[in-house]
């Protein structure tokens, strides 16, 4: 098959241009060397990232078996009385979603005083094992904010800003088949990563325990009122059984620290960095710079050839 003249001309021009690239090899070499130098500078100045991992399982104490039995025994009567005995179901997925919410994390940031670590941390001293803060944002000696706030922001930041910085550091993975939840926290400080992972489970357990206690108190008051109002013996029996179940919930919440989640092991202290990969950074930037230099040399070769 004959090659069209236009295609043949382009093919010949490209072939000649590749031959002409040799005249611009200095450009390609300099491009590779500059890219390699820049990549090394960028890679060296990247701070280490430390990731703490933790595996938790739903606590056995958070069991709705008693309520399920009552639902089977008194379901019909409860419906007549306008009371639902539906099972609370698996709360693991709901708890994981709540742990990502602003409601929970705003309170978490304030309680654990994390704002300086989220907004001003720029490194970690391996020798002294102390965080390094950006003095232009936060003075750790006087514990005062020195930053120049962006338009519409105050000098002292709010948990709203901290939330945006914290969420990318946390990874929550729920495995329904295995019945476990994996928590990963990454930051510039291994201490901070470990602490946040442990604190998250501690605080979600405390929150869920307090919420269930409040709901149990409200349910008991309501059920006692209903029991006093009714004259039907079966309904009174049901109400007192429900009161006993809610009282059990209160006792469990008071006795257990691992109310919703139980850690198979506390988060380990990450002694080695999880990132960044400095070798990969150097290779990627060097190859990109070299490719751009090669393309530029090819264009110059084509242009030079066209002028002849």
């Amino acid at each position: 098959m004959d090659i069209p003249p236009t295609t043949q001309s382009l093919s010949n021009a490209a072939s000649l241009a590749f031959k002409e690239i040799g005249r611009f090899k200095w450009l390609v070499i300099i491009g590779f060397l500059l890219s390699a130098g820049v990549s090394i500078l960028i890679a060296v100045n990247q701070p280490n990232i430390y990731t703490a991992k933790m595996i938790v399982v739903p606590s056995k104490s958070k069991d709705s078996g008693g309520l399920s039995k009552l639902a089977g025994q008194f379901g019909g009567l409860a419906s007549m009385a306008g009371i639902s005995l539906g099972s609370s179901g698996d709360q693991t997925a709901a708890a994981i979603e709540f742990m990502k919410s602003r409601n929970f994390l705003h309170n978490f940031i304030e309680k654990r005083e994390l704002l300086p670590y989220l907004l001003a941390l720029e490194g970690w001293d391996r020798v002294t094992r102390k965080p390094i803060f950006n003095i232009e944002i936060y003075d750790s000696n006087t514990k005062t904010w020195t930053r120049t706030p962006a338009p519409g922001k105050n000098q002292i930041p709010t948990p709203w800003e901290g939330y945006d910085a914290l969420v990318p550091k946390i990874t929550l993975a729920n495995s329904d088949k295995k019945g476990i939840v994996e928590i990963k926290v990454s930051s510039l400080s291994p201490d901070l990563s470990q602490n946040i992972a442990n604190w998250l489970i501690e605080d979600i357990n405390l929150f869920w325990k307090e919420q269930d206690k409040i709901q149990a108190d409200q349910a008991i008051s309501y059920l006692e009122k209903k029991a006093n109002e009714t004259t039907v013996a079966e309904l009174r029996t049901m109400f007192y059984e429900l009161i006993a179940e809610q009282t059990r919930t209160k006792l469990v919440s008071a006795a257990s620290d691992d109310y919703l989640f139980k850690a198979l092991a506390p988060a380990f202290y990450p002694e080695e960095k999880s990132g960044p990969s400095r070798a990969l950074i150097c290779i990627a930037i060097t190859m990109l710079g070299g490719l751009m230099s090669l393309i530029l040399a090819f264009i110059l070769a084509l242009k030079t050839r066209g002028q002849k």
Side-chain angles (χ1 to χ4, degrees), residues 58-80:
S59 177
K60 297 297 183 183
S61 66
K62 194 73 182 76
D63 186 6
S64 61
L67 191 60
S68 298
K69 293 178 181 178
L70 291 177
Q73 185 177 356
F74 298 112
L77 286 173
S79 298
M80 292 174 60

Side-chain angles (χ1 to χ4, degrees), residues 27-44 277-295:
L27 178 61
V28 177
I29 294 172
I30 291 176
F32 267 106
L33 293 177
L34 285 177
S35 300
V38 170
S39 69
I40 292 173
L41 288 175
I42 293 176
V44 168
S277 175
R278 292 183 173 85
L280 186 60
I281 291 174
C282 289
I283 293 172
I285 295 178
T286 301
M287 294 300 295
L288 179 61
L291 179 61
M292 292 177 65
S293 301
L294 189 61
I295 292 173

Side-chain angles (χ1 to χ4, degrees), residues 213-226:
K213 182 180 180 300
I214 292 172
Q215 292 177 6
D217 285 334
Q218 293 174 343
I220 289 172
S221 297
Y222 175 76
L223 292 168
E224 287 177 344
K225 179 182 177 182
K226 285 290 186 180

Side-chain angles (χ1 to χ4, degrees), residues 174-220:
N174 180 22
S175 176
D176 292 329
K177 293 183 179 180
K178 296 181 180 179
I180 62 173
V181 178
E182 184 181 60
I183 300 172
K184 294 181 181 179
V185 180
S186 300
S187 75
L188 302 179
S189 164
D191 293 280
L192 181 63
S193 297
Q194 180 188 35
N195 288 336
I196 288 179
N198 288 325
W199 288 340
L200 281 171
I201 295 304
E202 181 181 332
D203 286 7
I204 194 65
N205 278 333
L206 180 60
F207 174 85
W208 225 261
K209 178 164 62 173
E210 291 177 346
Q211 288 297 112
D212 277 4
K213 182 180 180 300
I214 292 172
Q215 292 177 6
D217 285 334
Q218 293 174 343
I220 289 172

Side-chain angles (χ1 to χ4, degrees), residues 90-106 163 167 170-176 181-183 200-201 204 207-208 260-261:
D90 181 17
Q91 300 186 52
T92 301
I96 290 175
E97 290 303 315
F98 183 69
M99 288 171 69
K100 302 175 185 176
S101 69
R102 284 190 179 273
N103 190 326
F104 176 77
L105 290 180
H106 278 204
Y163 172 87
V167 168
I170 300 173
T171 302
L172 302 173
N174 180 22
S175 176
D176 292 329
V181 178
E182 184 181 60
I183 300 172
L200 281 171
I201 295 304
I204 194 65
F207 174 85
W208 225 261
L260 185 63
F261 291 119

Side-chain angles (χ1 to χ4, degrees), residues 11 36 55 64 71 74 81 104 117 126 132 150 222 229 234 274 286 290:
S11 178
I55 296 178
S64 61
F74 298 112
F104 176 77
Y117 296 92
R126 292 183 61 89
I132 301 172
Y222 175 76
E229 290 176 352
E234 289 84 356
S274 57
T286 301

